[in-house]
Structure formats: C-alpha cells, structure tokens
Amino acid sequence: MTDFDRLFTELTTLAQRLYALPDGWLEERVKLSTRMEEIRAEIASLTPASPEGLKEEIGRLERAIREIDRMKINVISSAGGSPGGDFGFTKDAMDMNRTIDENHGRNELMARLEVAKAKLAELTSTD
C-alpha cells in the first residue's frame, strides 16, 4: 500500500466516522476534522509538483473513476415497472452502486483527483 493509498483510506474512514456521528458530539467532530486537515496537507505534499506530472495523475485518476462508474447499475433505466417506478429495486440498485464505490475506493480516487486539480490550478494560475 502506497502512502497515497494509506492516507486516502484513513481520510475516507475519518469522513465516514464524522458523517455517522450523532448531533452534539462537538469534541469528536473537531478532533476528526483536525486530523482530516492534517491528512489533506500530507496528501498535498505527496502530489506531483510539475504540471505535466499532475496532468498525468489527473488522467489516470479520471480513467480509474470512469471504470468504476461503468460497473454501476443505471438506476433510472432499471426502475421500470409501474408508472411510479419500482422503488424497492431503485433503493437496492442505489445500495449496490454505493457498495461498488466503497469496494473500489471511488471516494479516495475522487479526493485524490480534487487535490491534483487544485494543485494544477495553483501551479498554472497567472496572478
């Protein structure tokens, strides 16, 4: 497991924990949010520094995300059934798509893509 993978796995785990916290857990929310910012800073330091390297990284990440998306069920076209749709199947399809995302690390890839795009924008901006 690379440093990127380790950091993005931890970031995703923390985000899931933060999302699942009940209302009123302010101290835990602050702790998780602080650690997430530390991880984002570490990720930024590991991101390629050249525009060319960033463009390659962005392309690779976008291809990986497209491959994951191709595995998903088209919820709208699969709803079918009655005029109102088959909401039971729709929920099942959405759950399966969520599982596909989780099992293939789509959230981590999206976070890496966001970091790489931000870094590229920073490097190529003309102030």
Side-chain angles (χ1 to χ4, degrees):
M1 178 180 277
T2 67
D3 286 341
F4 267 127
D5 294 333
R6 179 186 56 78
L7 290 168
F8 279 105
T9 299
E10 184 179 354
L11 186 62
T12 300
T13 301
L14 292 173
Q16 290 170 344
R17 284 178 49 201
L18 182 63
Y19 179 75
L21 279 176
D23 292 336
W25 287 52
L26 182 60
E27 186 176 328
E28 185 68 13
R29 286 182 186 282
V30 170
K31 186 172 104 176
L32 291 172
S33 296
T34 301
R35 179 61 188 143
M36 289 171 69
E37 287 304 314
E38 292 169 355
I39 292 170
R40 286 185 183 105
E42 285 183 68
I43 290 168
S45 72
L46 295 173
T47 303
S50 72
E52 296 77 21
L54 287 165
K55 288 176 186 176
E56 288 175 16
E57 175 78 358
I58 289 168
R60 188 182 64 72
L61 291 167
E62 288 175 338
R63 284 188 298 278
I65 291 165
R66 278 193 306 272
E67 286 302 314
I68 294 168
D69 289 344
R70 284 187 188 113
M71 294 180 219
K72 293 181 180 180
I73 298 168
N74 184 327
V75 176
I76 294 172
S77 70
S78 299
S82 67
D86 185 348
F87 294 108
F89 180 77
T90 301
K91 183 187 179 325
D92 291 343
M94 290 171 61
D95 290 344
M96 286 187 269
N97 286 343
R98 189 174 305 110
T99 300
I100 289 168
D101 284 346
E102 290 171 2
N103 289 342
H104 291 88
R106 189 179 191 281
N107 291 339
E108 293 93 340
L109 294 172
M110 289 297 294
R112 289 171 70 172
L113 180 60
E114 183 181 321
V115 169
K117 284 183 174 182
K119 184 104 178 199
L120 179 61
E122 179 184 310
L123 289 176
T124 58
S125 69
T126 54
D127 292 320

